Amino acid sequence: MRRRAWAGLAVALAAGCGSPRAPSTVRVTIPRGATLDQVTDSLAARGAITSARWFRFYARLTGKGAAIRAGTYDVPRGASASAALRILTSGRPAEQRLVVPEGLMLGEVARLIERQLGIPAESVIQAAQDPSLLARFGIPATTAEGYLYPSTYLVPVGARAADVVRQMLNEFAARWQPAWDARLDSLGLSRHQIVTLASIIEGEVRYPPDRPYVSSVYHNRLRRRMRLQADPTVIYALGRRRRLYEKDYQTRSAHNTYLIDGLPPTPIGQPSAASMEAALYPARTDFLYLVARPDGKHIFSRNLREHLKAVAQARNGLSPRPPPP
């Protein structure tokens, strides 16, 4: 009978301790080694609970006080004892939203993470260069450039740079489709080469339907051992985005495809799944050249004579855009 009475009291306290859940929340950080009294005082001071006495009593009665985990949590203002304890013992800390658009270079991703999460950009770059992390994800390069998947993330508050980089690499691994491995064999290319090509396509395309046709140009040039001559690789060689001038195409870099044969040694940004799909499955064409119009759509050509004409038309804003065959 006494056990039933105590159980009934616990239920009553859980239901009655604190006001009904309010729509607003308060953020509470529980440091490692914090005592129940310290946790209770922190919750009460921020208005997360209305009665420190009842919260402390309920936590001890149910034994959940010892299960509170360190971390940063969002707790509804005026939460009941049971609701507050459920959050603090769940191990699911408060989260921040991170939005990473496609096509960004590593340095740009690092600065974006710094702006959105407050994690120093330099620490993000260092984490992306961690040899053990690169080996774990099978990245044959000195940085994770190309593998920090562009997406929207929910990142735990207080996450370190390595945690964020690992989360993005896990997302890349989850997005990689098993069927793509078989496709690599038929193309005679490695995953790293496809990610590199996809990053160039990402940097080139502004009009999404052009992706498979841009890909076909690069595949055709690779087969013919022609240099890719892709402007996005010059941007990467310069290390910053700006209008390109004639002298820029002579920038000495292992990534400048106007000066090197084949693909660059690493990706030049973070490609989307759509660009990886295009790199793996190019359109079947005999295009060897492309030029972008002011509206971002491309004109594709089969030979240099056609290309020079398309370039002149694009610069003069007179170029019609015939549909690709």
Side-chain angles (χ1 to χ4, degrees):
M1 290 295 291
R2 292 184 63 184
R3 289 185 179 179
R4 291 183 181 179
W6 277 108
L9 177 58
V11 171
L13 290 174
C17 185
S19 60
R21 178 178 297 184
S24 61
T25 60
V26 292
R27 183 156 290 178
V28 179
T29 298
I30 308 300
R32 293 185 183 279
T35 65
L36 176 59
D37 285 341
Q38 291 171 330
V39 171
T40 303
D41 291 344
S42 181
L43 292 171
R46 288 164 176 76
I49 56 176
T50 56
S51 173
R53 176 186 175 190
W54 288 118
F55 176 85
R56 186 182 296 109
F57 179 72
Y58 177 74
R60 288 172 175 163
L61 177 65
T62 59
K64 293 182 178 180
I68 293 175
R69 303 174 67 173
T72 300
Y73 301 89
D74 286 331
V75 182
R77 189 179 300 278
S80 68
S82 62
L85 281 167
R86 186 164 53 250
I87 293 170
L88 299 181
T89 58
S90 68
R92 297 182 60 184
E95 296 172 320
Q96 292 176 286
R97 189 179 180 88
L98 172 65
V99 181
V100 181
E102 60 276 358
L104 297 185
M105 296 182 282
L106 172 58
E108 294 172 322
V109 172
R111 290 190 291 274
L112 183 148
I113 291 174
E114 182 172 37
R115 288 196 302 272
Q116 294 188 29
L117 303 181
I119 300 173
E122 185 57 37
S123 66
V124 175
I125 293 174
Q126 290 176 356
Q129 296 172 339
D130 181 0
S132 62
L133 197 61
L134 297 174
R136 174 183 170 186
F137 285 91
I139 300 173
T142 57
T143 78
E145 183 79 85
Y147 298 87
L148 302 176
Y149 191 81
S151 186
T152 297
Y153 295 90
L154 291 177
V155 180
V157 172
R160 301 168 303 166
D163 299 325
V164 179
V165 169
R166 190 180 300 108
Q167 186 173 355
M168 298 179 76
L169 292 177
N170 277 325
E171 186 67 18
F172 177 93
R175 298 276 187 155
W176 182 267
Q177 300 178 25
W180 291 355
D181 290 315
R183 180 62 177 166
L184 292 177
D185 293 337
S186 65
L187 291 173
L189 296 172
S190 68
R191 184 187 72 165
H192 191 65
Q193 289 174 316
I194 281 294
V195 175
T196 300
L197 179 55
S199 71
I200 298 174
I201 295 170
E202 192 70 59
E204 181 67 42
V205 171
R206 294 293 175 271
Y207 179 62
D210 278 354
R211 279 195 180 95
Y213 299 99
V214 170
S215 179
S216 75
V217 169
Y218 294 142
H219 274 280
N220 290 341
R221 292 179 76 91
L222 286 171
R223 278 195 292 268
R224 295 192 179 203
R225 300 185 182 279
M226 298 172 66
R227 288 182 174 174
L228 296 185
Q229 297 184 327
D231 285 9
T233 66
V234 181
I235 294 290
Y236 190 81
L238 292 172
R240 59 193 179 99
R241 300 184 188 277
R242 63 166 172 79
R243 178 183 176 185
L244 294 178
Y245 298 95
E246 196 62 36
K247 65 178 181 179
D248 295 327
Y249 295 96
Q250 299 305 313
T251 301
R252 306 300 300 180
S253 169
H255 288 83
N256 183 355
T257 55
Y258 281 83
L259 301 181
I260 67 166
D261 297 327
L263 290 163
T266 70
I268 61 168
Q270 322 312 314
S272 62
S275 288
M276 287 195 285
E277 190 90 27
L280 286 160
Y281 301 97
R284 292 188 177 183
T285 76
D286 52 0
F287 295 142
L288 292 173
Y289 299 89
L290 57 83
V291 62
R293 303 191 316 180
D295 63 2
K297 297 180 180 179
H298 286 82
I299 304 172
F300 301 95
S301 304
R302 296 172 176 82
N303 55 58
L304 183 58
R305 180 180 59 81
E306 290 179 1
H307 176 60
L308 293 176
K309 182 179 178 180
V311 169
Q313 291 176 333
R315 287 178 177 173
N316 293 327
L318 302 175
S319 57
R321 185 178 187 270

